[in-house]
Amino acid sequence: MEARRITAVRRVGEGWAQKDVASFLGVHPVTVAKWVARRRADKNNRLKAKPTPGRPRLLTDDQEPKVLGRLNASPTKHGFATDLWTASWVAELILQKFGVRSHPSYLREWLTERNYTPQKPARRARQRDQAAIDRWVAEDWPRIQKRRGTNTPTSS
């Protein structure tokens, strides 16, 4: 953004019309006029980028990949009860490893931004017999489908 503002002021100084500079940069002509006015008021720092206000980041650039790497391992390897990560457990893991407190609601959004979506384990019975299921699908299901319906009503 800073480079854009400097380019606009430089072009206006070279004799370009403010509306042409605005069109070139894809901004409103009033914006270019404000940039030029700021530059005239203070030649040193008026066009410099300002820090973004708001709360500081949760983790540093070094800590973030470490947390995401730990999420690739099972939660049970980190002492949690099941193999399903929850936002609360991620918050606890970050607190244990880095001493940073964070709210689970914030972590849900943080994880979603990094393509970690809520996962649920597949619900399958422990006594499931895949061979018996495959045999039923191959033999019984086609036989059931071939039955013709009756032409008479089933109820009065």
Side-chain angles (χ1 to χ4, degrees):
M1 293 302 290
E2 183 178 334
R4 235 169 118 183
R5 292 188 289 266
I6 292 170
T7 300
V9 170
R10 185 178 298 132
R11 294 231 167 143
V12 169
E14 293 170 355
W16 286 47
Q18 287 184 5
K19 69 175 189 172
D20 294 335
V21 173
S23 176
F24 173 76
L25 293 174
V27 296
H28 196 275
V30 173
T31 304
V32 174
K34 287 180 181 180
W35 292 343
V36 170
R38 274 195 241 156
R39 180 64 174 190
R40 286 182 185 145
D42 181 4
K43 295 203 183 277
N44 295 327
N45 295 324
R46 297 291 283 188
L47 299 176
K48 290 204 175 200
K50 296 176 185 169
T52 305
R55 186 175 181 174
R57 292 180 50 198
L58 172 70
L59 299 169
T60 65
D61 290 336
D62 294 334
Q63 292 172 333
E64 188 172 310
K66 290 177 184 175
V67 169
L68 295 175
R70 291 177 189 267
L71 294 180
N72 290 330
S74 170
T76 55
K77 291 184 180 177
H78 295 284
F80 297 106
T82 65
D83 280 333
L84 181 64
W85 280 110
T86 65
S88 299
W89 287 359
V90 174
E92 192 174 324
L93 176 75
I94 291 172
L95 180 62
Q96 288 173 359
K97 302 299 179 187
F98 302 107
V100 177
R101 290 190 185 279
S102 57
H103 195 274
S105 295
Y106 169 77
L107 281 175
R108 281 185 204 96
E109 182 180 329
W110 184 82
L111 290 166
T112 301
E113 289 171 359
R114 284 147 186 84
N115 294 323
Y116 280 86
T117 57
Q119 302 293 310
K120 292 185 179 179
R123 298 183 78 185
R124 292 193 179 113
R126 288 186 180 154
Q127 63 273 28
R128 178 184 171 111
D129 182 2
Q130 188 62 43
I133 294 170
D134 293 340
R135 186 173 42 259
W136 184 87
V137 168
E139 297 170 7
D140 294 340
W141 181 242
R143 180 178 43 83
I144 293 170
Q145 283 184 319
K146 285 182 183 177
R147 284 189 190 163
R148 295 188 54 115
T150 60
N151 290 337
T152 58
T154 56
S155 64
S156 53

